Amino acid sequence: MIYGIEETSEDDGDDGGRVVRDVYIEGLGLDMPNTVDAYRVGKRENGKTRPVRAEFPYPGDVKFVLTIAHKLKAKLPNVYLGPDRSKEERQAHNKLVNQMRTLIKQDSSKHYYIRDNKICQVDKKLSPG
């Protein structure tokens, strides 16, 4: 899933291929991806940006793209990539995010992140970046 790419007024939801191409070529500096399909998800609403679901032919392609997704920050800072999750997975992830936000408010001296469905932490002075 690709989040944060603005929709133009003439887009009718079929701009998924353009979005994937822009993220790959401009954001990640890669060649054109081998995708099966790409399309916007959800109803169009004013003031909201719908995510783009990109389908890849092989699970390894998805893993590769998600592994290098951090490179987007430099060129497309408002765009981020995430795995396509089921409703239950989204709910579980949102619960972890909310728990992490609470931990950050309680102790901001640590860097918190989610890995393997668990909240992890390191001292900020030890974390890169």
Side-chain angles (χ1 to χ4, degrees), residues 21 23-33 64-65 68 71:
R21 187 174 48 254
V23 167
Y24 247 72
I25 295 171
E26 294 175 25
L28 298 174
L30 299 172
D31 293 332
M32 182 58 191
F64 171 72
V65 170
I68 63 170
K71 293 181 180 181

Side-chain angles (χ1 to χ4, degrees), residues 53-111:
R53 182 170 194 260
E55 296 178 10
F56 292 88
Y58 305 105
D61 293 346
V62 175
K63 185 173 176 67
F64 171 72
V65 170
L66 292 175
T67 302
I68 63 170
H70 65 278
K71 293 181 180 181
L72 282 173
K73 284 184 183 179
K75 295 186 180 174
L76 300 171
N78 296 326
V79 175
Y80 64 99
L81 306 179
D84 188 15
R85 296 183 174 109
S86 68
K87 185 174 183 178
E88 293 80 19
E89 290 171 328
R90 285 193 308 268
Q91 289 172 338
H93 184 75
N94 284 339
K95 185 177 178 182
L96 283 174
V97 169
N98 289 332
Q99 289 173 355
M100 189 172 69
R101 286 180 179 150
T102 302
L103 290 171
I104 291 169
K105 286 180 183 175
Q106 292 173 355
D107 185 5
S108 62
S109 67
K110 299 194 182 298
H111 173 74

Side-chain angles (χ1 to χ4, degrees), residues 6-15 40-50:
E6 293 294 324
E7 294 181 71
T8 60
S9 58
E10 62 270 2
D11 286 341
D12 59 359
D14 291 335
D15 65 333
R40 295 248 180 211
V41 179
K43 292 181 183 178
R44 172 176 247 163
E45 293 182 34
N46 288 337
K48 290 195 174 187
T49 302
R50 296 179 294 167

